[in-house]
Amino acid sequence: MKYLILVPDGAGDENIEKLEGRTPLEAAELTMVNQLAAKGQVGMVKTIPPGVAPGSDAANLSVMGYDPSVYLTGRSPLEAASIGIDMSDTDVAFRTNIITLTGEGDYEDLIITDHSSGDITTGEADQLIQAVNEKFADDKIRFYTGVSYRHCMIVHNGSTDYELTPPHDVLTQRVGDHLPKGEGSEFITNMMKESYEILKDHPVNKDRIARGLNPANTLWIWGQGRKPSLSSFYDKYGIKGTAISAVDLIKGIAICAGLNSVDVEGATGTLHTNFEGKAAAAIREYKDGKDFVYMHLEGPDECSHQGDMEGKIQCLESIDRKVLTPIVEYFRQAGEDFRVLVVPDHRTPLAIRTHSADPVPYVVYDSRKELPEDKNRQFNEKSGAKGQYFDSGYALADFFFEK
Ligand SMILES: O=C(O)[C@H](O)COP(=O)(O)O
């Protein structure tokens, strides 16, 4: 028996007037997932518990079977595990985006324009992180390079008691309206402000500007937390698995849960990721004896943050055609019994360009127990609303992995 959980990050959305009232999941040509839906179960699941911020940290923990209210200590500590940072119990990890600010005048009057600095390459970002460490690193603070615009700051004997804002939640807004708050947060604000002076004229950014790309001209610090402690996935479900993702968050969750994590060349976390390479990596894992693959694709979420509706639909179609289809075809050709769960981790409505905690649709298909075909059963919000509702991602995971 083989299991696949495929997560198109942020794929959930709202009815869109430009799509004649359809959602991107309805408008996209999703041949394979809707073929599975027609002979499988479709419903809705609330991946974000009440009172928890709707981020991919909480949502993917939930879908993987872990209650975020219990296990989530913060986003950055999970990413730190993937980066290879051995956090002590007194360390605090802070997610450190390098973002694009635009405008003139005081730092506080600049505009938060791009949380991803135009999907800056990791190689470029690493040069900027080196410059940041030259300025700020000491025996208490150090920055570590992650993936693209996503990095990590470790503070030894740090505090987590600050109110910090994810930059993708406040795009197009004024810096001064979203600076860190809380006792002792001044050191974070000062680093963010000073980083602008270091980075805005850095050669990497002069080159990016010359190429018409968004510069990565300031640090934006958030997502803080202490070292996580997840129970073993194998102890929970009795199967061995692998996570395949471009981003440290998913790799980190997998590592903390005792799952394998596989890197794929050309996996970028964007609309232009190596879809085929990710599918091929999953098939290799199954051939190598793994029972389960957690396949995460960040692209739909990033398109939503950029307000790119066409890109989101294109990304959803690529995931269906270039990732899900070859894996299902492998199962069928290999004569494997298989069970597939396709579920967004959360909604990222294009209208707000950030996450919402509203329920998302799921498809569960089991090759051993096909339902009578009903082509009205589809992978989207309207069809899902007619099916079984799960009040948590981990309840859905328990259902999905039940023997
Ligand atoms: O900062 C990031 O990695 C993403 O923009 C945040 O969105 P996510 O929580 O859906 O990954």
Side-chain angles (χ1 to χ4, degrees):
M1 183 67 185
K2 299 296 183 183
Y3 297 88
L4 170 67
I5 295 181
L6 187 146
V7 179
D9 195 304
D13 210 309
E14 311 291 345
N15 298 337
I16 295 175
E17 189 177 341
K18 285 184 181 176
L19 296 175
E20 298 85 41
R22 295 175 296 166
T23 66
L25 283 174
E26 287 180 272
E29 193 70 35
L30 304 178
T31 305
M32 179 53 79
V33 70
N34 285 327
Q35 187 189 97
L36 300 179
K39 296 181 177 178
Q41 176 176 334
V42 166
M44 297 297 275
V45 57
K46 182 148 177 52
T47 58
I48 306 291
V52 175
S56 286
D57 45 2
N60 282 281
L61 278 173
S62 181
V63 169
M64 217 180 274
Y66 295 90
D67 180 351
S69 309
V70 173
Y71 290 99
L72 180 61
T73 61
R75 181 193 192 101
S76 192
L78 293 166
E79 296 178 332
S82 171
I83 294 171
I85 302 168
D86 184 14
M87 289 180 68
S88 73
D89 292 339
T90 57
D91 285 344
V92 175
F94 294 76
R95 158 61 93 85
T96 302
N97 284 44
I98 311 183
I99 69 171
T100 303
L101 300 183
T102 54
E104 302 294 335
D106 294 340
Y107 183 75
E108 291 76 4
D109 292 325
L110 300 179
I111 300 303
I112 301 163
T113 301
D114 184 352
H115 73 290
S116 73
S117 294
D119 293 324
I120 186 171
T121 67
T122 302
E124 291 174 295
D126 187 48
Q127 296 176 63
L128 301 177
I129 292 295
Q130 285 177 35
V132 163
N133 269 326
E134 283 165 20
K135 171 70 177 175
F136 299 121
D138 56 22
D139 57 0
K140 186 171 172 64
I141 289 176
R142 174 160 296 279
F143 292 85
Y144 297 82
T145 302
V147 174
S148 181
Y149 62 90
R150 308 174 185 88
H151 309 289
C152 179
M153 172 177 75
I154 296 290
V155 178
H156 297 308
N157 299 312
S159 168
T160 60
D161 297 335
Y162 310 115
E163 185 184 332
L164 306 177
T165 304
H168 52 262
D169 283 351
V170 289
L171 292 168
T172 75
Q173 297 183 39
R174 187 178 160 274
V175 166
D177 296 333
H178 301 288
L179 286 172
K181 297 183 179 68
E183 187 179 341
S185 64
E186 295 79 8
F187 85 99
I188 301 175
T189 301
N190 292 338
M191 276 199 294
M192 288 167 54
K193 195 167 181 176
E194 288 178 47
S195 74
Y196 182 69
E197 296 310 317
I198 299 167
L199 299 178
K200 65 184 175 62
D201 300 320
H202 189 284
V204 163
N205 282 319
K206 287 184 174 176
D207 174 63
R208 290 185 64 77
I209 291 166
R211 288 186 288 138
L213 301 174
N214 281 345
N217 54 20
T218 200
L219 300 181
W220 194 274
I221 294 169
W222 60 287
Q224 71 274 28
R226 297 192 188 279
K227 186 174 183 176
S229 174
L230 299 188
S231 57
S232 150
F233 185 90
Y234 186 79
D235 291 349
K236 282 171 70 72
Y237 296 116
I239 57 176
K240 292 179 181 175
T242 294
I244 298 175
S245 174
V247 297
D248 284 323
L249 173 65
I250 308 305
K251 296 177 187 177
I253 293 173
I255 290 164
C256 292
L259 290 167
N260 189 25
S261 173
V262 165
D263 292 340
V264 174
E265 185 70 32
T268 59
T270 71
L271 168 60
H272 306 294
T273 194
N274 182 1
F275 295 100
E276 296 88 346
K278 296 187 79 167
I283 292 167
R284 279 196 300 275
E285 289 301 295
Y286 288 122
K287 286 181 176 177
D288 286 352
K290 294 294 189 306
D291 310 312
F292 161 55
V293 167
Y294 191 91
M295 175 68 77
H296 171 270
L297 295 115
E298 179 75 6
D301 180 69
E302 291 300 330
C303 289
S304 279
H305 286 311
Q306 298 296 347
D308 180 2
M309 182 181 78
E310 289 76 17
K312 183 168 187 175
I313 291 171
Q314 181 189 330
C315 197
L316 293 171
E317 292 176 342
S318 293
I319 291 168
D320 186 75
R321 189 172 65 254
K322 300 175 182 177
V323 182
L324 180 60
T325 298
I327 295 173
V328 169
E329 288 177 348
Y330 162 72
F331 289 147
R332 289 171 174 164
Q333 287 158 12
E336 293 279 6
D337 288 333
F338 63 97
R339 194 164 163 88
V340 177
L341 166 61
V342 181
V343 60
D345 53 348
H346 53 71
R347 295 190 188 199
T348 308
L350 285 153
I352 59 174
R353 296 181 60 186
T354 194
H355 313 146
S356 83
D358 291 330
V360 289
Y362 68 83
V363 176
V364 171
Y365 168 85
D366 191 320
S367 66
R368 303 165 302 174
K369 298 180 268 185
E370 286 192 345
L371 301 181
E373 184 173 34
D374 176 358
K375 292 188 176 179
N376 294 317
R377 244 192 335 262
Q378 295 205 323
F379 176 53
N380 62 56
E381 294 82 355
K382 293 187 180 73
S383 181
K386 300 170 190 166
Q388 182 179 355
Y389 176 79
F390 285 91
D391 63 4
S392 70
Y394 45 92
L396 176 57
D398 290 348
F399 166 74
F400 178 66
F401 286 114
E402 71 184 7
K403 300 299 181 198

